[in-house]
Amino acid sequence: MEVEGMSGIEKKAAAMAAAEEEEVGRKAAAAGDVGLKELSRKLNDFAKERDWEQYHSPRNLLLAMIAEVGELSELFMWKGEVHKGLADWDDAEKEHLGEELADVLLYLVRLSDICGVDLGDAATRKIVKNAVKYPAPSKEDA
Amino acid sequence: MEVEGMSGIEKKAAAMAAAEEEEVGRKAAAAGDVGLKELSRKLNDFAKERDWEQYHSPRNLLLAMIAEVGELSELFMWKGEVHKGLADWDDAEKEHLGEELADVLLYLVRLSDICGVDLGDAATRKIVKNAVKYPAPSKEDA
Amino acid sequence: MEVEGMSGIEKKAAAMAAAEEEEVGRKAAAAGDVGLKELSRKLNDFAKERDWEQYHSPRNLLLAMIAEVGELSELFMWKGEVHKGLADWDDAEKEHLGEELADVLLYLVRLSDICGVDLGDAATRKIVKNAVKYPAPSKEDA
Amino acid sequence: MEVEGMSGIEKKAAAMAAAEEEEVGRKAAAAGDVGLKELSRKLNDFAKERDWEQYHSPRNLLLAMIAEVGELSELFMWKGEVHKGLADWDDAEKEHLGEELADVLLYLVRLSDICGVDLGDAATRKIVKNAVKYPAPSKEDA
């Protein structure tokens, strides 16, 4: 946070806002949800601490995400049709699947951040746009 | 929510927990964050309202996500190296980028849900795992 | 080859055509070219000999190809812009690249075959279609 | 072809070799096969005539190929399991499929060429390597 030039009151307000946001994050986590900005911040810290920001250009991150999509596809490739809930997958496979899904998400969140896109906002707006494009029949037919 | 067989007190507790979770969601949104479970719930409602659940098998959703990864790649394909922040992209391109990033996210969230994977939890654990695998130099060298 | 009901002359003609085709394949190989049908036949024999045809459904092969595209992307992901000819890649990297490109091709050829698509013919027609869509300036401006 | 410094005999030999190769290509095409080098040459001419070589860097071509993989996936995404031969696809869908398979191939061939990889050679060697890695049971068990 850039604090230079802030008055004492502004600093206090900023600190309170940050604390409030953190509190919301904690509660969201306690309620079992994980926020996209929260992930974005964690990944930013992670890269900064390791001096990896130099590698995180948009196309590098996109290709890294595609590599993870490939690993995700590998889990599904010889299985024929797979059913909801993956009843016949063993625990190791499900654990592995969680990791690959997470890897795709983490690069997607990081790519969005590096491109200056607010991913949560974009997703929320896309759902609204889709709802307009594909109206629910119940609302149509009522 | 399954309420059959619940005592009056249990029902009240469940209702309070649900209200609490919703309240946290509202606050998180107000603080500008969007939760993965929140998106998951929205997508589930969206599919249910349109009777689309029948199409949402794991491999269908995976291929739909890959189709969106293709559209995302299309935005970057003839650009040569792209720099952080996309200074030379116009607003229409950035808007389009936000939509494609969102599309990948929405199918990823839905795929995770249909597979029974808690994506936020998986992502949080993957960050911890990565931190162990790649320790930050400052902590190493201090 | 289906020979039942063929006359002696037809059989002889078919045998000669097959020998001719093989001869062309040998010459093409000697001249340093590899044909798509030739690869398709080799992959078909390969699968048959290992009783792998049961796994080679279109979507299995598509996901296998995507897994290979992921491995190919992995070779390019942290490199920033890469220049024609890969002057700064070492021999091991180039060898690895050749393998990943080959893997994508082999699954693409097999997928096409299983779908009943003549890939060489489709490619030849696509080049013609592209030439119509994007006329060469020299022909335009002359 | 680099001809400077060639003696008259060398030039004649080179011209004869080129004519021979072309003849083999013609025969291969007549026998219904399409060679990878033949495609590579066509794509090279195509790019040169349109002054597109400036856009054909390795990562640009890789991302263009991935965009086509996305379009290919789109054809399969809502279909559930698809069977060999695509008996229930209509002609327009099959035609479209041929185009998408061709698009992936053309970018793959061009990417290989720009990277200096002989794709046909790499594919041939990969099949041999796979045969060693996965010996055919008949040869094992005999």
Side-chain angles (χ1 to χ4, degrees), chain C residues 26-96:
Chain C
R26 255 201 305 278
K27 275 200 184 164
D33 208 353
V34 173
L36 287 163
K37 284 201 174 155
E38 187 189 336
L39 286 177
S40 198
R41 262 193 308 268
K42 281 185 183 175
L43 294 175
N44 194 40
D45 293 346
F46 197 95
K48 204 169 277 180
E49 286 164 16
R50 284 154 188 81
D51 198 21
W52 285 359
E53 288 172 307
Q54 56 185 316
Y55 305 113
H56 287 188
S57 66
R59 302 219 308 184
N60 279 11
L61 290 163
L62 174 58
L63 287 170
M65 191 190 81
I66 291 164
E68 298 299 341
V69 169
E71 293 191 25
L72 179 59
S73 300
E74 217 178 313
L75 297 181
F76 287 94
M77 70 186 176
W78 298 129
K79 293 202 178 278
E81 200 46 18
V82 170
H83 299 288
K84 187 178 166 169
L86 316 180
D88 50 348
W89 290 40
D90 64 35
D91 285 349
E93 278 180 310
K94 284 182 191 172
E95 176 73 21
H96 192 175

Side-chain angles (χ1 to χ4, degrees), chain B residues 1-21:
Chain B
M1 183 169 37
E2 181 53 71
V3 292
E4 223 169 326
M6 275 188 175
S7 70
I9 288 178
E10 282 170 338
K11 281 181 197 171
K12 203 170 164 185
M16 282 174 64
E20 159 78 359
E21 198 186 346

Side-chain angles (χ1 to χ4, degrees), chain A residues 3-4 17-18 33 38-40 48 55 57-58 65 69 74 77 79 102-103 110 114 117-119 121 124-125 133 140:
Chain A
V3 293
E4 222 168 325
D33 209 353
E38 188 189 336
L39 286 177
S40 198
K48 203 168 279 181
Y55 306 112
S57 66
M65 191 191 80
V69 169
E74 217 177 314
M77 70 186 175
K79 293 200 177 281
D103 282 335
R110 183 70 177 151
I114 290 297
V117 168
D118 182 327
L119 184 58
D121 183 53
T124 304
R125 283 188 293 124
K133 191 173 173 188
E140 287 279 274

Side-chain angles (χ1 to χ4, degrees), chain D residues 12-93:
Chain D
K12 202 171 166 185
M16 281 173 65
E20 158 79 0
E21 198 186 345
E22 216 181 293
E23 172 66 11
V24 168
R26 256 201 304 279
K27 278 202 183 163
D33 209 353
V34 172
L36 287 162
K37 284 204 172 151
E38 188 188 335
L39 286 176
S40 199
R41 263 193 307 268
K42 283 185 181 174
L43 294 174
N44 194 40
D45 292 347
F46 197 95
K48 204 169 277 180
E49 286 164 16
R50 283 153 188 82
D51 198 20
W52 285 359
E53 288 172 306
Q54 56 185 316
Y55 305 113
H56 288 189
S57 66
R59 302 219 309 183
N60 279 11
L61 291 164
L62 175 57
L63 287 171
M65 191 190 80
I66 291 164
E68 298 300 341
V69 169
E71 294 192 24
L72 179 59
S73 300
E74 218 178 314
L75 298 181
F76 286 94
M77 70 186 175
W78 299 130
K79 293 202 177 280
E81 200 46 17
V82 169
H83 299 288
K84 188 178 166 170
L86 315 180
D88 50 347
W89 289 40
D90 63 34
D91 284 350
E93 278 179 311

Side-chain angles (χ1 to χ4, degrees), chain A residues 33 50 99 129 134, chain B residues 33 37 50 99 129 134:
Chain A
D33 209 353
R50 284 154 188 81
E99 289 200 30
K129 192 171 175 178
Y134 307 105
Chain B
D33 207 352
K37 284 203 173 153
R50 284 153 187 82
E99 288 200 30
K129 192 172 174 177
Y134 307 104

Side-chain angles (χ1 to χ4, degrees), chain A residues 24 27-28 32-39 42 46 49-50 52 57-59 62 65-66 69 72-73 76-77 80-86 95 97-99 101-106 108 111-112 114-115 117 119-120 122-127 129-131 134-137, chain B residues 24 27-28 32-39 42 46 49-50 52 57-59 62 65-66 69 72-73 76-77 80-86 95 97-99 101-106 108 111-112 114-115 117 119-120 122-127 129-131 134-137:
Chain A
V24 168
K27 277 200 184 165
D33 209 353
V34 172
L36 287 162
K37 284 202 174 154
E38 188 189 336
L39 286 177
K42 282 184 182 175
F46 197 95
E49 286 164 16
R50 284 154 188 81
W52 284 0
S57 66
R59 302 219 310 184
L62 174 57
M65 191 191 80
I66 291 164
V69 169
L72 179 58
S73 301
F76 286 94
M77 70 186 175
E81 199 47 16
V82 170
H83 299 288
K84 186 177 166 169
L86 316 181
E95 178 73 20
L97 173 61
E99 289 200 30
L101 290 164
D103 282 335
V104 176
L105 177 66
L106 296 179
L108 180 66
L111 170 61
S112 301
I114 290 297
C115 290
V117 168
L119 184 58
T124 304
R125 283 188 293 124
K126 195 62 201 277
I127 291 176
K129 192 171 175 178
N130 285 342
Y134 307 105
Chain B
V24 168
K27 276 201 184 163
D33 207 352
V34 173
L36 287 163
K37 284 203 173 153
E38 189 189 336
L39 287 177
K42 282 184 182 175
F46 196 95
E49 285 164 17
R50 284 153 187 82
W52 285 359
S57 66
R59 302 219 307 185
L62 175 58
M65 191 190 80
I66 291 164
V69 169
L72 179 59
S73 300
F76 287 94
M77 70 186 177
E81 200 45 17
V82 170
H83 298 288
K84 187 179 166 169
L86 315 180
E95 177 73 21
L97 174 62
E99 288 200 30
L101 291 164
D103 282 336
V104 177
L105 177 66
L106 296 179
L108 180 66
L111 170 61
S112 300
I114 289 297
C115 290
V117 169
L119 184 58
T124 304
R125 284 188 292 125
K126 194 63 201 275
I127 291 176
K129 192 172 174 177
N130 285 342
Y134 307 104

